[in-house]
């Protein structure tokens, strides 16, 4: 719940910033000289990119959360079996061992979104956020391509987890 509140507050601050910057861009354009119009258009590009980025990330989070809820309802969420240091941080060797199991599971069933979801969690536990995100995107794509999220093979071929 804390993460949701943090995300919502951050998104609200960003939207406020986009509106503020966008209004300044409009004021520059309204001024009417070549330089101010040019700067105004340039200033409007930044909030447009920001809104697009915020929208894409929000969609990603919503879809990943939907997959997590579905997997939880099936009883298929990965169990936290990681060893932790006395300070509570995940032990790297433990995360690597779990990652190897998840990678092998995904190689055995490359068209199963559930395996890709669990692989994404393992990547995140191993502190490899870019690959975690790519694996989650793959899970989302496979889930969307299969009727009711079952194990049907979507068109588009196979993707190896090592190529994530």
């Amino acid at each position: 719940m804390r993460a949701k509140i943090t995300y919502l507050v951050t998104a609200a601050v960003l939207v406020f910033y986009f509106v503020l910057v966008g209004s300044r861009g409009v004021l520059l354009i309204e001024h009417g000289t070549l330089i101010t119009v040019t700067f105004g258009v340039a200033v409007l590009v930044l909030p447009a990119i920001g809104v697009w980025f915020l929208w894409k990330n929000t969609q990603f989070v919503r879809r990943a959360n939907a997959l997590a809820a579905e997997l939880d309802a099936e009883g298929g969420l990965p169990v936290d079996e990681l060893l932790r240091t006395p300070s509570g941080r995940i032990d790297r060797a433990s995360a690597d061992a779990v990652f190897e199991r998840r990678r092998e599971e995904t190689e055995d069933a490359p068209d199963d979104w559930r395996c890709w979801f669990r692989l994404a969690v393992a990547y995140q536990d191993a502190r490899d956020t870019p690959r975690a995100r790519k694996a989650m995107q793959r899970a989302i794509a496979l889930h969307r391509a299969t009727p009711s999220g079952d194990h049907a093979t979507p068109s588009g071929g196979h993707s190896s987890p090592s190529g994530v």
Side-chain angles (χ1 to χ4, degrees), residues 8 15 21 26-27 31 36-37 47 50 61 66 70 77-78 81 84 88 90 94 105 110-111 113 116 164:
L8 288 173
V15 168
V21 170
V26 170
L27 288 174
H31 195 268
T36 60
V37 169
V61 168
E70 187 173 332
L77 278 179
E81 54 189 309
R84 300 191 187 278
I90 294 173
S94 175
E105 174 185 293
D111 294 327
W113 68 265
W116 283 95
V164 171

Side-chain angles (χ1 to χ4, degrees), residues 7 14-15 18 44-60 133 137:
Y7 188 82
L14 283 172
V15 168
F18 298 152
L44 286 177
V45 168
L46 296 175
I49 292 170
V51 166
W52 174 82
F53 184 74
L54 183 61
W55 175 254
K56 294 302 277 181
N57 278 306
T58 301
Q59 291 301 319
F60 174 78
R133 188 169 181 90
Q137 288 169 338

Side-chain angles (χ1 to χ4, degrees), residues 44-102:
L44 286 177
V45 168
L46 296 175
I49 292 170
V51 166
W52 174 82
F53 184 74
L54 183 61
W55 175 254
K56 294 302 277 181
N57 278 306
T58 301
Q59 291 301 319
F60 174 78
V61 168
R62 289 180 63 235
R63 290 176 180 142
N65 285 340
L67 292 187
E70 187 173 332
L71 206 53
D72 187 29
E74 296 174 355
L77 278 179
V79 177
D80 185 1
E81 54 189 309
L82 299 169
L83 300 175
R84 300 191 187 278
T85 64
S87 65
R89 294 188 70 145
I90 294 173
D91 177 65
R92 182 67 182 212
S94 175
D96 289 345
V98 171
F99 169 78
E100 279 303 313
R101 283 200 319 267
R102 298 296 183 213

